[in-house]
Amino acid sequence: MWRKLLSLNTRYIYLAIVVMVVIPVVLKVPLPTSPSEPTQKLFDHIDTLEAGDGIWFFLDTRPATTAIHRPQLHVLLHHCFSKGIKVVGFNPLAPEATGMGRPFIQEIAAQYGKQEYTDWAYMGYTPAGLAIFSAMSKDIKGLYSQDVTGKAFDEIPVLQQFRKYSDVGLVITLAGLKTPGYWVKYAQTPYKFPFASGVTGPMIADQFPFLNAGQMVGMMGGILGAAEYEGLLKKNNIRKQFGIASASMFVQTVVHYILVAIIILANIATFIINNQDKKDRQARAEARAKADSGIE
Amino acid sequence: MEIVSLWVIAFFSLCIFSYLYRNNPFYKFAIHVILGLMVGYMFLQQVTIGLEQLVVSPILEELGRPSPDAPDILIQRVLPLLVASLIFTIFVPERRWLSRIPIGLLLGYGMGYMLTKSLEADVFKQLNATLTQSITAISGDSIFRSRWPAWGQFLPGLSALTVIGLTIFYRFRMQHPTIRTIIYIALSLFICSLADSIMILVGVLTVLSYFFFSFERRGLVEEVSRVGLVFMMVYFGAVFGNTVLTRIQIFIGQVDFLIFKWLGGTWQALFRG
Amino acid sequence: MQTALPIILCSLTCLVLIISHFIPHEANTVVFSQIKGTWYAIIKVAGYAIATLAVLRSHIRRLQARTTDWQYSAVALVCFLVFPLTYLFDNIRENNALFATTTFSDTIDVSVLRGATVQLEPVAGETYSGKVFKIDGKKRRLTVKLDLAISDLGKSGQSLRIGEQSLQLSVGETIIIPSKLMVIKRKGLFFQGLGRPLSIKKDGVATSWVYDNVVSPLDTTMFALVAFYICSAAYRSFRVRNFEAGVLLATGIIVMLVNSPPTSLIWDGVFPAKTAVDQFFVDKALINLKDWLLAVPGQAASRAILIGGALGLVTQSLRVLFGIERSWLG
Amino acid sequence: MKIPNSRLLTLHRRSLCASRFLAAVSGLLIIALSLFGFIGIAAGAQQVTPKQVNVPTEMITVQPGQTLADLAEKYFGDRRQYKRFLEYNNIPDINTMKPGDRLQVPVNSNESTNSDQVAPNTKAGKSATPVTESTPTLAIAESTNQATFDSLQTAEVEAVPEMIPPTEVKANDVPNDAIKKGRGTIIITWTAPEDTTNVKGYHVWRKAMPDGNFEKITKKPLKLSKSEYLDKTATGGQSYVYQVASVGASGLPEAAEVVSASSKPAIAQGNWYNTKKSYLLLTIIIFSIITLYYMDRGMSGKDMFIRRIAALDTIEEVVGRAAEMGRPAMFVAGNDDPDTGSTMAAFSVFESVANYAVVTQTEVVVPVQKPIVDQVLRSSLRNIFTLAGRPDLFNEEDVTYEVDNQPAFIGIIGDSMAKYNPASVFYFGDFTYESMVFAEMGNNVGAVQVAGCENPKQTAFFIVGCDYCLIGEELFAAGAYLKRDVVQMATLLAQDRIKILAFLALLLGILISIFNPGKGNLVLDFLTF
């Protein structure tokens, strides 16, 4: 049996991976998560907003982290659109993200029948660098003359309501870069508005000082944060099913655990077989010795 | 049109994935389609447009001006074109050696550029970073101590005791690998509980000494280079383990696309659209 | 002669490049940027030309000889024609000309633009000059560091800042390139005069359709294959053969376990942090361990490998400089 | 067919003389160049400077076409008295006065010379004051027409008595730069006045040398804390003089300015040697000398020890395994251009792999991703067959250029692995994520794999996926080691010595900082740019 394990055809491993990935993704099998405190706080904050309020989100990220920020943005949008909250997106600090934002919103907006320009808008990149932090406290019209589709600023109704920090109920940055620190330092501290972040796994540890100081109302940490948020959406009957984040968290956990398990099993197998071989060899040597002596 | 593009993407993706079972005609077909496409793309991009923009267009433009700047255009356009076309002599067996001239120029350029750049960017910069870190933090920060304060208190003493104790023992059992290993671990615990920068310095020096070519690996050199190898193995293991997560996430994204966008989209188009 | 001449030329080029690194004088920048822009680029073009010939020749041979899998060579040869055809199709459709290089122009142009000073027109009627400092040909993006005067601030429809700033050019924006080397766009079958704008435009409809639906997805799919291979490789070769392999295995497993979230939960459940001595087993103990592995011993090893590799490269360059590295001669 | 092994392995000992000559020439050139650079710095430091004298003097600038004799006629009335300028100036070489050099001369009221005007053209109605005795260091050099002087002196007393201009205004060409688009950079430095109570900031004024007017080149006043300004708009080759004005603090008339004395003229020009990179040059020279020394030792047949490198020793065995099994060996040269270091290293490894393969009559399959790499590898293989005496066995198709696109090339490798079923596979050069894919594809067809990669991160995947792996610099050492060429081995020895230097530099730096904490660190300075 041990020998069979060691000479396992790699195709079975591939098949196992396909099964382990496809089934949970199709059935949206969730990883049972208990929401961590930052995620719960973020959810609670958005839950207190009312229909007609607005949030701004900032994609401070690169396409490489799409796999993390797409689910994060999706859970936020589900929450917002189901409550009638309006959404405006930007990526002034990360030019590479220009192409990412609008399709992400479109996917969810279609499900809730929300219209571009009246319920949401995506503004894209503007080359102002860190100057946006102060500019946005006054009026975003100074930064953007048109949105990412080329529609003029004045023709977009949703923008007329939400023109500065104090107009919106939450500013959230989905960051793959080191921007949450800048946001807290240059924008939240001087202008005082509800601020939150969604970050990648390695960045989570850096956010706790801001959370503890109350500079962030909440945080979504990595794909796990998105999964927790999906759990909260389900629990509060906002969405009927879990999304891709919960499913991929489940998949990740299963794949990692099974991988570790088979690595350890294979090592045990090697150890046992080596011992057996050693014994066999000894036995054979003894037998040969006996046989030799017998001949003599 | 969107459905067509979904099907095209899905078809090629599935063709590629089918290689996991074994090499098969679908995979070969998909790969050769891409090969043909990309060779055509490279031909367009690099050869046709490159030649036109680098040579033909500037020459015609220069000649069209009132007073053509002939020497400049000869040195910048015509001469390099002649030299570069020497590469085609590989088709003429007797003159094949001429093709080495443009290749030699290319390689000379690359290596000359590399020499100063890698000295500046890799050697000097990395040595500088190591040294700066060590100097500023000889009594400095340790993740070990700062994040596990309780352990940090007695870890240095414990590991130092282990090292001293075992070293005395080691004198009598010189070749015992387990004891040597324990000494290594205790020693590294001791060092890493002092300061991260010292650990990094030790790591850099031992790994560098792993690559000494002109000493026989015996005695001290062997011990030191083995420590270096351990450092490298820690790095390789950590990098490998850390990559699994992101790679699987990409595959999940691909599955998500295939199931919900491709199948779901087709379903919608057929029965609801 | 047959070996000496190429070696001497190679060594001399190498020497000239090294010397030029120490000369800040403008003569140096002119000469070397032009060598890079013309000599180097033209030799590369010749390389691609001969490579294309080689591919076509080898597939035609396979087709003629009816070797194994000759059918796929036929597929490749047919597909070779696809991009040139879509390119011509797009040009005729959009420009009424056969060879107007709007398609692909960004990809090739931008590499020629490296380090050039260009003028930007972010909004019609406003021009700013700046230096190209980052080029991403694949994503058709060009970043330009602007040389702004104080008086330019606030004037523009775009919000501009002085100093270290990059302006992202997206599709459709125009840059004007004063240098004659970089004039690219033209209309009709033939060439026009100087000073015309180069547009960063999308590929034509047909070309971009084929590229986006056949070529781009392949990259993601190939990348996704790594998920399978990384697992089978881990299973196959993470064995404790000796101490070093054990270290590799242990760090790999620790990092993998820490990356799956329930581990910390289980860990905290088993070892709740109640007393001060339990601090070792507090909340983030495993994550701390992973961070430490990557940040301290990992950094040391990667740094030393980089230093060693760079020294090896320097020696390699010196071998080329002194003319004793001759394996490239064949 | 049996080929004598020794003949193949001594392939690369040809024309050692030529390489020795080349090495010497290149080394000499580098050394000569560096000497030239250092002499250049030393020579640039010598300038004409004024002496302290007790007669009223003024500063003039030597114009193009003007000789010292011409000036002597103008100021002393006699062309032969040109040596009298030595009483007023320290002149390093009296025979080589350059246009733009500044001379101190006795005041010559009869002539209107090109002496520097002190008063800038300030805005009408606003007061502007030139330098006075309050800046003693400049007083000798910069006294002008007495009448103007007096009137301005009065004006100063009436308008802004407390404001003092900056002193020691100096203008110099910025070193280590070039003229770009006709523009160069000049750095202006000054010392802040002792009493800055009424000074809000500074303005910089500039005058193009022979007959320009003073123009203000700063748009806003510079901050008081500043003591230097980079004039980036200077035309290259043009001589300029500068003045720095103190700008009045609030309460005083808005643009009240007190102007300092003029600086000496400065010309923005490109420099021929970057002094900041001297350490790098020194390092390259040391490396070259060490390498040349060991090469020389190698050529003269001295014994050199290079230890056995286990991963490299296996290459021969791995090729041999393919021969035993009657299956081909595959060589992949990475995904980088031919002019990069790792691809160069791959070329030399390929030579040895192909040598072993030809000796053992193993077929070699070489799919290539980059153009020109295939040319090099093909002619290398052809050459090896020719030297083995069997040019007829060489097949052009053994080395095939496939496609310059990463995913497509990975796909082709997958197909080739299944098609040729290689018994041994070699990966040398630069790789990215395909490292893992290749290693597993190769393993699935049961090949023994050897890899060498410069990139530390991808090495991790090769370590896990392949049977043998070269780490970091072993890749660059591989070619030299496998060929057993004395001269190439010598460079490895040199590289080791260089590494010991780096090693010692680190230790020395640490020691210095332990025993001399908080002070300058020689090693750190050396490593900093």
Side-chain angles (χ1 to χ4, degrees), chain A residues 5 14 127-128 256-257 267, chain C residues 161 229 235 238-240 260 263:
Chain A
L5 181 73
Y14 301 151
H256 274 83
Y257 279 6
N267 274 295
Chain C
R161 285 191 319 126
Y229 288 138
Y235 165 70
F238 270 172
R239 299 283 156 78
V240 192
S260 39
T263 315

Side-chain angles (χ1 to χ4, degrees), chain C residues 157-192:
Chain C
Q158 304 270 325
S159 146
L160 299 168
R161 285 191 319 126
I162 217 154
E164 293 284 311
Q165 162 178 318
S166 67
L167 187 85
Q168 191 72 34
L169 280 190
S170 47
V171 167
E173 274 173 314
T174 310
I175 63 174
I176 298 163
I177 296 134
S179 165
K180 63 188 173 185
L181 291 180
M182 293 144 200
V183 177
I184 288 117
K185 197 190 167 189
R186 74 227 134 167
K187 283 197 174 134
L189 270 173
F190 218 59
F191 310 93
Q192 289 177 349

Side-chain angles (χ1 to χ4, degrees), chain B residues 1 5 8-9 12-13 16-17 19-20 25 28-29 32-41 43-47 49 51-55 57 60-62 65 72 75-77 79-80 83-84 87 90-91 97 100-102 104-109 111-112 114-120 122-123 126-127 129-130 133 143-144 147-148 150-151 181 192 196 199-200 203-204 207 226 229-238 240-242 245 247 250-251 254, chain C residues 2-3 5-6 9-10 13-14 17-18 21 34 36-43 45-46 48-50 52 57 59 69 72 75-76 79-80 82-83 87 101 104 107-109 180-181 184 186 190-192 194 196 209 211 213-215 217-218 220-221 223 225-230 234 238 243-244 247-248 251-252 255-256 259 276 279-280 285 288-289 291-294 296-307 310 313-314 316-317 320 328-329:
Chain B
M1 201 59 185
S5 75
V8 172
I9 297 174
F12 280 107
S13 294
I16 301 298
F17 279 130
Y19 183 78
L20 288 171
K28 285 185 202 170
F29 173 77
H32 282 85
V33 166
I34 308 287
L35 179 129
L37 285 178
M38 287 322 294
V39 173
Y41 192 82
F43 174 70
L44 255 185
Q45 217 186 16
Q46 303 287 350
V47 184
I49 297 174
L51 206 61
E52 181 259 303
Q53 285 173 359
L54 286 167
V55 184
S57 190
L60 286 176
E61 224 150 63
E62 201 77 4
R65 289 169 76 185
D72 193 41
I75 293 166
Q76 290 290 321
R77 309 288 162 180
L79 199 58
V83 172
I87 209 168
I90 54 154
F91 295 120
W97 67 273
R100 292 166 181 172
I101 290 173
L105 289 175
L106 197 72
L107 299 187
Y109 184 98
M111 297 313 287
M114 282 284 170
L115 186 128
T116 46
K117 280 287 169 311
S118 62
L119 258 184
E120 226 172 43
D122 288 338
V123 180
Q126 296 292 336
L127 283 176
T130 313
Q133 222 171 1
I143 293 182
F144 244 82
R147 296 201 189 173
W148 298 301
W151 275 70
T181 311
C192 69
D196 289 347
M199 186 80 169
I200 291 178
V204 168
V207 175
R226 270 197 72 182
L229 187 59
V230 170
F231 268 94
M232 285 196 279
M233 287 303 161
V234 168
Y235 172 70
F236 293 142
F240 190 93
N242 218 13
L245 184 92
R247 298 295 180 267
I250 286 162
F251 180 58
Q254 200 75 354
Chain C
Q2 298 197 356
T3 52
L5 183 64
L9 283 175
C10 182
T13 328
C14 192
L17 255 291
I18 293 168
H21 190 75
Q34 287 184 2
K36 172 104 186 167
T38 58
W39 280 77
Y40 188 78
I42 290 173
I43 292 175
V45 166
Y48 273 100
I50 205 160
T52 313
R57 209 165 66 140
H59 282 284
D69 292 347
Y72 302 107
V75 171
C79 289
F80 172 75
V82 170
F83 270 120
Y87 170 71
T101 33
F104 302 106
T107 340
I108 185 83
D109 296 338
K180 63 188 173 185
L181 291 180
I184 288 117
R186 74 227 134 167
F190 218 59
F191 310 93
Q192 289 177 349
L194 292 166
R196 288 144 308 172
W209 194 88
Y211 197 93
N213 290 301
V214 184
V215 180
L218 178 76
T220 331
T221 311
F223 208 16
L225 276 187
V226 183
F228 293 91
Y229 288 138
I230 206 168
F238 270 172
F243 177 65
E244 285 81 17
V247 171
L248 183 78
T251 41
V255 172
M256 275 196 262
N259 275 342
Q279 284 285 312
F280 182 74
N288 285 348
L289 183 61
D291 287 353
W292 182 81
L293 283 175
L294 277 164
V296 182
Q299 198 192 359
S302 75
R303 203 174 257 174
I305 295 173
L306 272 179
I307 295 173
L313 191 57
V314 169
Q316 174 103 18
S317 300
V320 171
W328 59 271
L329 288 171

Side-chain angles (χ1 to χ4, degrees), chain D residues 32 58 130 518:
Chain D
E58 62 182 359

Side-chain angles (χ1 to χ4, degrees), chain C residues 47-68:
Chain C
Y48 273 100
I50 205 160
T52 313
L53 276 181
V55 179
L56 295 181
R57 209 165 66 140
S58 98
H59 282 284
I60 289 171
R61 265 190 205 162
R62 283 184 215 171
L63 202 57
Q64 282 173 340
R66 295 280 193 275
T67 52
T68 347

Side-chain angles (χ1 to χ4, degrees), chain C residues 278-290:
Chain C
D278 283 346
Q279 284 285 312
F280 182 74
F281 302 115
V282 288
D283 192 18
K284 302 212 158 31
L286 280 175
I287 292 176
N288 285 348
L289 183 61
K290 184 195 110 178

